[in-house]
Amino acid sequence: MQRTAITLPRTEDLPRNEVIEYVQRADALGYDTLWVAESWGRDAFTILAQLACHTQHIKLATGIVNVFSRTPAAIAQTVATLDEISGGRAVLGLGTSGAIVIQNWHGVPYDKPLQRTREYIDIVRLILSGERVNYDGQLFHLKNFRLPFKAARSRVPIYVASLGPKNVRLTGEKADGWLPTYFSRTRGHVQMQDLEEGVRAAGRSMNEIDVSPYLLSCVSDDVAAARALARAQIAYYVGGMGTYYNNLVRRYGFVEEADRVRELWAKGDRKAAAAAVSDALLDDVTITGTPAQARARLEEYRARGVTTPTVAF
């Protein structure tokens, strides 16, 4: 198998034995990385620790943990422990999440998300290095502690889930990998330019960063049903999940669709909002269709600079 990642199903009531079987199957098939999401349900690190004990090869990644609900030191301790348990297979996916989740669920201010991301990356890397931690940033001031055990690896890969231009440039500057979502098959170069700008500013090479977008995938011989599922998911994010995703598809040129989907979603007409997702938008940011069609679409993404496509069923 070419290097391909996969996400854990988001079904909250999926039995644990089925989760384990699913991931073991992905491991046996040769998937490169498993990404486990975290929102306001089960936490990612505990699930990954369990899966580390039932798999052999697949990398185990947080996709994503936010930079508000845990301190950078707590994240460093936890990912170092996961890396030890998994035999060096941990990957740390970080992101800012959104203001609604951070303020209304975690109860903390959504303050300076880009600077927080920058400092989290710096601090996590410093702690994992084994050096004494003396750090004086804008937000965090740490001194005179060090990790009291030798980490399995002194550098765990850090990926950043970023959408906006400034955050994507920061990703190119600091991260080992980029984890965008709703990545455009035909207009992804809009974001790639921001990534490359950050890479150049840091004196890096694009070969140093793994481009691994979440690709919403509905694969079935019943193509109409697959496309209907994907439309509903896009409508949920573009219409109901704040401004990030709506602005993203607008930047791709789908301004009318973005406005219409948001308008219908605000009125509570979910069915009409999904119907307002055009075929052009659907085909640009998702993989839908038969298995053969899906494989062909994956190759199109690879040809456009995606190095590790993440299949999000």
Side-chain angles (χ1 to χ4, degrees), residues 168-299:
V168 174
R169 286 195 289 272
L170 173 63
T171 303
E173 179 186 342
K174 304 287 289 185
D176 300 298
W178 179 36
L179 197 67
T181 191
Y182 291 124
F183 188 75
S184 169
R185 181 173 53 89
T186 62
R187 298 170 175 85
H189 63 276
V190 174
Q191 289 178 294
M192 289 285 276
Q193 289 171 355
D194 296 325
L195 187 72
E196 291 168 358
E197 185 177 324
V199 167
R200 287 194 302 269
R204 306 175 69 196
S205 163
M206 281 295 290
N207 293 331
E208 297 178 54
I209 189 163
D210 183 25
V211 178
S212 186
Y214 274 21
L215 302 175
L216 178 63
S217 304
C218 292
V219 183
S220 173
D221 289 324
D222 186 344
V223 176
R227 292 175 71 81
L229 284 169
R231 283 185 204 278
Q233 186 79 343
I234 292 174
Y236 172 74
Y237 277 89
V238 173
M241 285 292 283
T243 60
Y244 291 113
Y245 303 99
N246 192 279
N247 287 341
L248 180 66
V249 299
R250 292 174 70 90
R251 288 174 61 209
Y252 291 156
F254 298 103
V255 177
E256 292 182 10
E257 292 95 324
D259 288 342
R260 185 61 175 157
V261 169
R262 182 162 56 187
E263 176 187 349
L264 292 167
W265 190 273
K267 292 179 178 178
D269 195 341
R270 309 295 192 251
K271 186 174 181 180
V277 175
S278 67
D279 287 336
L281 174 56
L282 185 73
D283 290 334
D284 200 46
V285 299
T286 73
I287 294 176
T288 59
T290 66
Q293 290 171 330
R295 293 189 188 99
R297 185 57 55 84
L298 272 180
E299 293 312 305

Side-chain angles (χ1 to χ4, degrees), residues 298-310:
L298 272 180
E299 293 312 305
E300 291 183 44
Y301 276 104
R302 293 186 199 276
R304 287 168 168 80
V306 171
T307 49
T308 310
T310 297

Side-chain angles (χ1 to χ4, degrees), residues 18 57 62 67 72 87 89 91 111 150 158 172 190 211 219 229 247 264 283 303 310:
E18 291 188 22
H57 307 291
T62 60
V67 294
R89 290 186 284 142
V91 177
D111 185 42
K150 183 175 175 57
I158 297 177
V190 174
V211 178
V219 183
L229 284 169
N247 287 341
L264 292 167
D283 290 334
T310 297

